[in-house]
Each structure stands twice: as structure tokens, then as C-alpha cells.
Amino acid sequence: MTEMSGADMVVQALVDLGVDTVFGYPGGAVLPIYDALFKHPTIKHILVRHEQAATHAAEGYARSTGKPGVVLVTSGPGATNAVTGITDALLDSIPMVVLTGQVPTTLIGTDAFQECDTVGITRHCTKHNYLVMDPDRLGPILHEAFYIATHGRPGPVVIDIPKNVQVATGTYSIPNRIDHKSYRPQVDPDAEAIAAAIAMIAAAERPIFYTGGGVINAGPDASAALRQLVALTGAPVTSTLMGLGAFPADDDQWLGMLGMHGTYEANMAMNRADLIIAVGARFDDRVTGRLDAFSPDSKKIHIDIDRSSINKIVPVDLAVVGDAGRALDALIAAWADKGHKARDLGEWWRRIDGWRATRCLDFPEKKEDGAEIMPQRAVKALFDATRGMDPIITTEVGQHQMWAAQHFHFDSPNRWLTSGGLGTMGYGFPAAVGAQIAHPDRLVICIAGEASLQMNIQEMGTVSQYRLPVKIFILNNQWMGMVRQWQELTYESRYSNSYSDSLPDFVKLADAYGWTGLRIDTLGELADGIQTMLGTPGPVIVDCRVAQLANCFPMIPSGAAHTDMILQPNDIVGTMDDEAKALV
Amino acid sequence: MKITTEAGERHVLAVTVDNEAGILAKITGLFSARGYNIESLTVADISADHALSRITIVTSGPPAVIDQIIAQLDRLVPVHSVTDLADGGAHVEREIALVKVAGSGDKRIEALRMADVFRAKVVDTTLSSFIFEITGTSDKVDRFIALMRECGLVEVGRTGVVAIARGAEAV
């Protein structure tokens, strides 16, 4: 119990909570906190160039470490610029605490300079938010905010702090134990549900594990438990975009990602399965395709920490509410307890091998040195060149993101950082900054599209300032490729505003920021170009020119079932009806 | 292309929440953001220490939507409990309306006579008007107001529904 200013309390609480890094941007309404930070060298403040980038960097930090990301921004535009990243963190369940300055309590509601209703604006894009009107409440609220951000289903929490509350003095107190009066997420699964689940798994003839970001959020032990359970049962595994890395991609039981741009074998296996075991995944529309044709003959077990995810989109036969890791541990224990042995799933695997034989990720390409580079080839080359380096890969959003998901393979969690739920162009580069800050000695590569990258390209300055060795690998096809692909499939190739006109010279841009820039134009230059990037210390931007009109396949078209995948461009017939067009 | 919506059944939810600023906005915002119906909503502080409020929400939707509404409400940090009163068996519902009727002669007499039939109380009168207070289910209040329209109705204020489960147990 010590008397201190509100700003000092904020910094003291961050220290007490073990925060080592804050991503932020100063401004009038947070000057007292910035002054307190100045006196506290143990907390590293990373000065971004735009508040949106601070939130994505915090997400990159969080996703690559498992620790909450912390953001500090000013009132008004500082807070509104942060909203996209806050919403991104909500959709992808990323633990994050955002501190926003606010005009003094005496001016709230007067349309004061740089005033906005931050708690109002962020009410529905946060897991929880606070407006702190009394400095004595700062200690308890900060501690509670970190608890809420990291417990149960993780998410972003905003704390709005008026300037006079930062300046006023009060008593700093730390709650002995966070025992929230209403927020008590269930982390331990019910024993009966586990017993029922294990009986269903043991009896299944065509089971499949469908895993998601919840396994990553549950920590590395959950990924280890997933591997163990999958090995025990002998069942195949597929994963959502957010769950990549929880199960090793070189394992025989791995079917690849499922969903709209997932593999044929994963989607067919989901469709034909007699049991789906969903772990920390939420039956997103990008995963299910047409709902009335989604896995029609299966029983479904849904393990999720968020009760509201269960039965939200797909009705399930058995709900298991709890932390993915604890549920997987309980399933492993129950499997051993009951003395179950893996069934002979030979017939199921033979069918899966039949689907695998379509080699759905193959793509047509020319092999000569002067040929244009297929974007898939560029990702594969990058993957091959970085094997053994354990890189952290971030992506922007679009075709390049899907190609990266299909062709870059992960063996461990927390290496794959991408915006899945909100699909935020501009996420990948600042997320790479956050990941590199957290892991200064690791290889961090942002696989980008030339359009997405420009949404937060100002962060090149941040990278220069902190001498971060971030690598940006642009699959530059001079199109907003996914938009163009949909226009091709849905709007008879009327390419309305999807051409990336007036692109900067990325090599000169690199030079302007003190980076190394290089350009790769042909297949013959690809391997060497990647080696140059990897061998160059400091930040590098690679402008890799790829085939302009390549499309991302396989693809489940909008409104279609898992079984109606387009495998190759020549599978496309006819035009879409309005029902399909209306789907996102 | 036509946009269709699924018909639903009426449910009364009792929600206990922290009595803090912004909670009501959070709950109504959840309903509007996810496209759920609110037919009626009442809220008042209910605890001796002013720490808790009870919100009674009348909503409608197919069973899966109602289940989702309850799950979504339940995961909000300041929400302590959500009870579907239709689930727990019998419950009682009441609503109060204040109904102002103006007129003279036969219509005035008829209004007073019907108010008596409905057990509505006269809480204010002038030579040319009455204010009736009526308590009952929403149906009963609706019917009373419909009759008053024929007798010079000029203004209505309604509280919305409050409801509580029968029996000795609390939610």
C-alpha cells in the first residue's frame, strides 16, 4: 500500500504483472504514463508508427510467446486507430491489454480535444473494458484486466484512463488473488463428458480430429497432448488456419488444413467421417462450407472453453466445456483407464489415401530458369530454404496467406501468426515486428502480398529504429489477388478496383528506410534470392514477382459443400447464383 | 433472392449483472450486434448494497437461437447468472401501465366502468381526464389499452415485463 500517482501505478502494475514490452504511441492524454515509463527502464517501449500496428505487434508478441500483448495509446484517434487490432484479437482469441488515455474526467462528454467514447466504441470488440474514474481502482483493475485477458477464452481488454486520474495520487494495491465475482470460466472438463467422449472415440470407424486455435492458446503442452491422443487412437488430424502448428505437418496422420482452401483429403474426410472430434475450433463458415451438407453422417464432439461456441453453427452430439489442454489430458487418461486399444482404421485410411492421390496442392508450372515464378513455388522454396531454422512466419491476408498455409509446413505451435477471424490486411508486418521483439535471435519472416503490405508499411521505420532483422517476402502479383480471384469466379472477370496500380519500387523503399531490398523476377533467381535474404543481417524486403493471374486452389466455392471442391482452374463451370454471391 | 427469417418462440430471461455503468449498453449491444430480438427489457438495482441489477428480457427465437442468447449473455464478464424462466417451469409475469384517457360524457363513464372490470386503479383525475394504473400480464395490459383507444386514450407509459419463477427457490 503506497501512495503514488495514477501514472506510476499503471507502470508499477505492469512491472508487477511481469510485463517486459509495451507497444505504443504517445499523445496528450497519456503523457503522464509516458513520463512514468521514462523513469522505468525495465519496461521496453516499442514506438510504432501507427496505433493499429501497435495492436498487431502486440498480437504477434502474444501469439509467438503465449504471454499477453500490451498496448499504450492516447485518447481519440489513438484509441480509434487501435480498434481494428483490438477486434482482430477478439476474433482470434489473442490475450491483449490496451491502455488508452482519455480526456480528464471533468471534460468527458464535452467533445473535448481528442475525446472519443473509447469504452463505448470498444464495448463490442473487447472481451471486457473499463473506464477508470478513481486512481485507487487502477491497481485492482489492471490486475483484473490481465486475468480476464488471459483466462478462459483469451481476448483483448481495454482500460481507458482519464488524464487527471493519471496525475492524481492514490493508493496502489494488488489484489491478493483474482477471484472474480462473476467471471469464472470452466477450465476443467466434466468427467462424464470425457467418459462419453472416449467411448465415442473408441467406437468410431471413421474418426477425425478437427483442431483449432484453442489448442495453440492452451499452450505447448496441449499440442503435445494432441499428438499423444492422435497417436493412441490412430485417427487422422486436420486443422483450421489458426490451429496450424499444433500437430506436425510431416506426420502421416496429418491431412493438412481444411475448409475453403484446405486440402481435398481433409475436406472429404470431414464429409465422410462418422465422428468429428473438434478441439478448440469453432465451425467457422470458412471451415464448414454449405452447412446443410457439412459432414452429414458424423457424430460430433466439441471441446471448447467458450460455451457459446458450442451449437452456435453446427449442432453437436456431445459438448465438452473446458481448456483444450486439460480436456486432451483427461481424454488420454480415460483412454488408458478403460484399456482402449486403437481400432483397425485401415479401411478409413485406404479411403483417405485415395483422396490424397488427387495431389490437390499440385500446380502447373514451367520449369526453365527464365520462367515466371508460381506463387506456390515461391512459398515452397522459402519453406525448403528455412528448414531447420525454426522460423516464425506471419502473413498478411489474401491469396498469399492461403498459399503460405498450404505450402509452408509447421512442426510446432506459436510459429504461425496470421489473421484468421477478422482477416485483417495489414496484420502480418506489424505482427512480425512484435514476434521479432519477443524473439530477437529467431528468424521472423512476413509472407506478404504487395497490397496488404501497404496497409501498414510505415512500420519499416519501427524496424529500422529497433534494428530488427525482420524479413518481408512479398508475393507480388500486382493484384489484390483474392479479390481478383472472386471477381473471376463470381463476376465474370469484371476486375473492379482490384489491380494494384502505382506500386512503389520496394527496393528503393527499402533503401530509403535503411533496409536491404532485393527483387526476384524469374524462377532461376528464386533460390539464390532467398539465400541472399537469409544471409543478409538486418531487415530485408524481397519483392518476389510471381505469376499475376495464378489462383488459389483447391477451393470450396461460396455456398458449396466440402464435396464440391474446385481442384483446378478448368473445374470452373457456369456462373454463381445470387444465394452463393450473397455469402461472404 | 429473398431474405427469410425463422419464426421463434417467446422466452423470458432473468439476468443478474453487476450494477455498473455500461452494462445495459453491453447487453442491448449484444442483442443488436447478433440480430436477436428484444420485445421488452426492464432493469433495476435489486441488492441491499446496490451491487447487483436484475435485467428481465423478453425475447423470441428458435430454440437454438435462445440457447445461443443465453450462452452469449453468460460469457459477458459482468453477468452473474442467466435464467430462462420458461425452462424452470411456472413463473409469474407482471407489467404496469399508466394509461391517460381524456373525454367527457358517455365515453368517460364507459372508460371508468371498463377500468373497474380490469381492476385498473384511478391514480389521477381531472374534470376531463383519468390516469389509470393497470397491472397484469402483457396480454391483459394490451387488451385494456385496446379498449381505451375507443374511450379517448391520449397517452400510455408501460414498464415492460418483470418476471419471477414460482416456488421457494431463487434464480
Side-chain angles (χ1 to χ4, degrees):
Chain A
M1 294 286 212
T2 352
E3 183 88 2
M4 58 171 95
S5 77
D8 283 329
M9 286 186 214
V10 169
V11 175
Q12 188 58 50
L14 295 179
V15 171
D16 291 344
L17 285 157
V19 173
D20 51 22
T21 308
V22 174
F23 300 91
Y25 203 103
V30 276
L31 283 174
I33 297 175
Y34 270 87
D35 194 50
L37 271 179
F38 193 77
K39 295 174 282 189
H40 250 286
T42 58
I43 294 181
K44 184 171 7 166
H45 178 273
I46 304 300
L47 177 66
V48 294
R49 298 299 184 265
H50 186 287
E51 289 89 349
Q52 184 193 351
T55 54
H56 294 321
E59 288 186 274
Y61 177 95
R63 196 72 177 170
S64 64
T65 60
K67 295 193 288 185
V70 182
V71 175
L72 174 60
V73 294
T74 194
S75 62
T80 56
N81 279 343
V83 165
T84 300
I86 294 169
T87 313
D88 194 89
L90 182 73
L91 271 280
D92 283 346
S93 310
I94 310 291
M96 181 157 91
V97 175
V98 181
L99 307 166
T100 56
Q102 181 56 278
V103 301
T105 53
T106 48
L107 286 180
I108 287 178
T110 66
D111 301 324
F113 178 64
Q114 292 194 329
E115 180 186 2
C116 73
D117 177 11
T118 301
V119 287
I121 289 169
T122 61
R123 186 167 286 131
H124 304 296
C125 64
T126 52
K127 186 172 171 185
H128 195 45
N129 65 10
Y130 302 87
L131 171 62
V132 188
M133 301 293 275
D134 172 3
D136 286 350
R137 292 283 302 138
L138 275 169
I141 283 176
L142 266 126
H143 285 265
E144 185 180 286
F146 275 78
Y147 173 86
I148 288 171
T150 54
H151 284 72
R153 181 176 179 176
V157 177
V158 164
I159 309 174
D160 198 28
I161 312 172
K163 195 171 183 184
N164 57 344
V165 174
Q166 300 169 33
V167 173
T169 55
T171 309
Y172 174 66
S173 59
I174 307 172
N176 290 330
R177 186 166 80 88
I178 305 279
D179 192 9
H180 199 272
K181 52 192 184 297
S182 55
Y183 185 67
R184 293 180 185 176
Q186 179 177 356
V187 290
D188 285 313
D190 294 335
E192 309 87 79
I194 292 294
I198 216 71
M200 287 166 78
I201 295 170
E205 292 174 356
R206 302 184 307 281
I208 182 168
F209 284 91
Y210 150 51
T211 68
V215 180
I216 311 268
N217 275 336
D221 291 350
S223 292
L226 174 67
R227 290 154 201 232
Q228 201 185 336
L229 184 63
V230 167
L232 287 173
T233 57
V237 192
T238 181
S239 155
T240 67
L241 182 72
M242 297 309 294
L244 295 177
F247 193 82
D250 59 0
D251 193 289
D252 286 342
Q253 282 167 266
W254 173 245
L255 302 188
M257 182 174 78
L258 84 167
M260 183 171 273
H261 291 290
T263 65
Y264 185 67
E265 51 269 34
N267 286 327
M268 288 303 290
M270 285 291 280
N271 184 266
R272 302 286 195 252
D274 71 347
L275 178 69
I276 289 176
I277 308 124
V279 190
R282 60 185 177 86
F283 295 91
D284 177 84
D285 56 75
R286 283 292 179 279
V287 157
T288 60
R290 202 177 91 213
L291 272 175
D292 59 8
F294 174 74
S295 195
D297 303 321
S298 65
K299 297 241 182 246
K300 297 167 188 80
I301 300 171
H302 191 176
I303 300 169
D304 205 291
I305 198 154
D306 180 357
R307 219 265 285 164
S308 74
S309 283
I310 295 171
N311 292 328
K312 181 170 68 177
I313 297 163
V314 172
V316 297
D317 301 277
L318 178 65
V320 182
V321 177
D323 173 79
R326 297 205 194 181
L328 289 165
D329 287 343
L331 288 171
I332 292 165
W335 181 271
D337 243 25
K338 296 276 178 203
H340 287 306
K341 296 273 177 292
R343 280 179 78 116
D344 175 11
L345 301 177
E347 177 54 31
W348 181 222
W349 277 107
R350 274 187 287 284
R351 292 177 73 182
I352 290 170
D353 287 340
W355 297 319
R356 278 174 164 167
T358 60
R359 302 191 54 83
C360 67
L361 294 179
D362 285 358
F363 51 92
E365 66 178 333
K366 297 200 176 75
K367 303 279 189 189
E368 61 268 27
D369 276 0
E372 63 179 2
I373 300 166
M374 291 302 285
Q376 300 93 322
R377 173 61 54 201
V379 174
K380 285 173 88 80
L382 192 61
F383 172 63
D384 287 337
T386 56
R387 267 177 208 261
M389 297 180 182
D390 197 18
I392 295 172
I393 301 295
T394 77
T395 75
E396 302 287 348
V397 169
Q399 283 182 325
H400 70 275
Q401 177 190 30
M402 292 299 111
W403 282 316
Q406 291 172 340
H407 297 284
F408 210 103
H409 304 299
F410 297 90
D411 297 333
S412 315
N414 306 104
R415 269 79 172 163
W416 167 248
L417 321 180
T418 195
S419 171
L422 195 63
T424 310
M425 293 170 71
Y427 165 91
F429 177 28
V433 171
Q436 189 79 75
I437 292 285
H439 307 277
D441 301 324
R442 292 270 294 278
L443 173 62
V444 179
I445 304 173
C446 169
I447 299 179
E450 83 290 339
S452 286
L453 177 63
Q454 290 183 87
M455 285 212 182
N456 269 319
I457 200 162
Q458 75 286 343
E459 295 309 309
M460 290 180 76
T462 308
V463 167
S464 302
Q465 179 177 347
Y466 297 98
R467 300 172 197 282
L468 303 174
V470 168
K471 316 296 181 201
I472 300 179
F473 192 85
I474 309 172
L475 300 183
N476 185 347
N477 62 0
Q478 298 179 47
W479 286 92
M480 292 161 217
M482 194 58 92
V483 173
R484 197 216 55 230
Q485 178 167 344
W486 278 59
Q487 289 174 335
E488 196 174 304
L489 298 181
T490 319
Y491 297 96
E492 295 158 334
S493 300
R494 289 187 295 279
Y495 296 142
S496 181
N497 291 283
S498 51
Y499 184 65
S500 287
D501 212 327
S502 304
L503 283 174
D505 180 330
F506 288 107
V507 175
K508 283 188 181 159
L509 191 65
D511 194 39
Y513 275 104
W515 291 40
T516 304
L518 59 115
R519 180 166 157 163
I520 301 173
D521 282 292
T522 61
L523 188 58
E525 298 165 12
L526 182 60
D528 284 352
I530 290 171
Q531 284 311 324
T532 308
M533 174 187 87
L534 296 173
T536 305
V540 182
I541 192 162
V542 179
D543 182 5
C544 181
R545 298 300 176 110
V546 296
Q548 289 202 6
L549 299 180
N551 280 339
C552 186
F553 296 109
M555 178 182 188
I556 301 173
S558 191
H562 277 174
T563 46
D564 299 332
M565 288 200 93
I566 301 173
L567 293 175
Q568 294 301 332
N570 51 11
D571 289 350
I572 300 160
V573 282
T575 53
M576 248 178 220
D577 60 18
D578 282 355
E579 264 75 16
K581 274 187 189 169
L583 291 166
V584 285
Chain B
M1 191 186 88
K2 294 271 190 297
I3 295 172
T4 53
T5 47
E6 217 179 327
E9 53 193 38
R10 179 178 180 277
H11 283 250
V12 182
L13 307 179
V15 187
T16 312
V17 301
D18 282 335
N19 181 20
E20 285 173 7
I23 305 299
L24 191 58
K26 203 162 175 70
I27 286 176
T28 54
L30 186 153
F31 274 72
S32 61
R34 295 186 183 269
Y36 306 144
N37 298 314
I38 297 182
E39 289 172 10
S40 152
L41 183 144
T42 64
V43 54
D45 168 11
I46 51 156
S47 60
D49 59 359
H50 307 292
L52 292 178
S53 290
R54 179 176 172 118
I55 299 178
T56 309
I57 302 169
V58 181
T59 184
S60 63
V65 171
I66 299 296
D67 187 56
Q68 213 13 237
I69 292 173
I70 293 168
Q72 292 288 350
L73 285 170
D74 205 30
R75 77 177 181 142
L76 297 179
V77 170
V79 169
H80 291 249
S81 69
V82 185
T83 311
D84 183 353
L85 290 172
D87 254 9
H91 66 281
V92 288
E93 283 178 37
R94 287 295 179 269
E95 183 178 3
I96 296 180
L98 295 174
V99 180
K100 185 183 282 187
V101 176
S104 57
D106 284 352
K107 285 204 164 170
R108 185 170 159 82
I109 294 162
E110 188 59 19
L112 196 61
R113 212 180 57 78
M114 284 195 288
D116 192 44
V117 172
F118 274 80
R119 297 193 178 85
K121 282 192 293 187
V122 177
V123 292
D124 178 68
T125 184
T126 66
L127 290 173
S128 58
S129 70
F130 291 118
I131 299 174
F132 298 114
E133 175 197 313
I134 180 163
T135 304
T137 62
S138 299
D139 266 3
K140 175 179 167 181
V141 173
D142 285 347
R143 279 184 286 120
F144 181 67
I145 291 168
L147 288 169
M148 288 301 111
R149 283 189 209 288
E150 307 300 319
C151 303
L153 179 86
V154 291
E155 196 176 342
V156 178
R158 296 174 72 151
T159 57
V161 171
V162 292
I164 204 159
R166 291 186 189 276
E169 303 299 312
V171 299

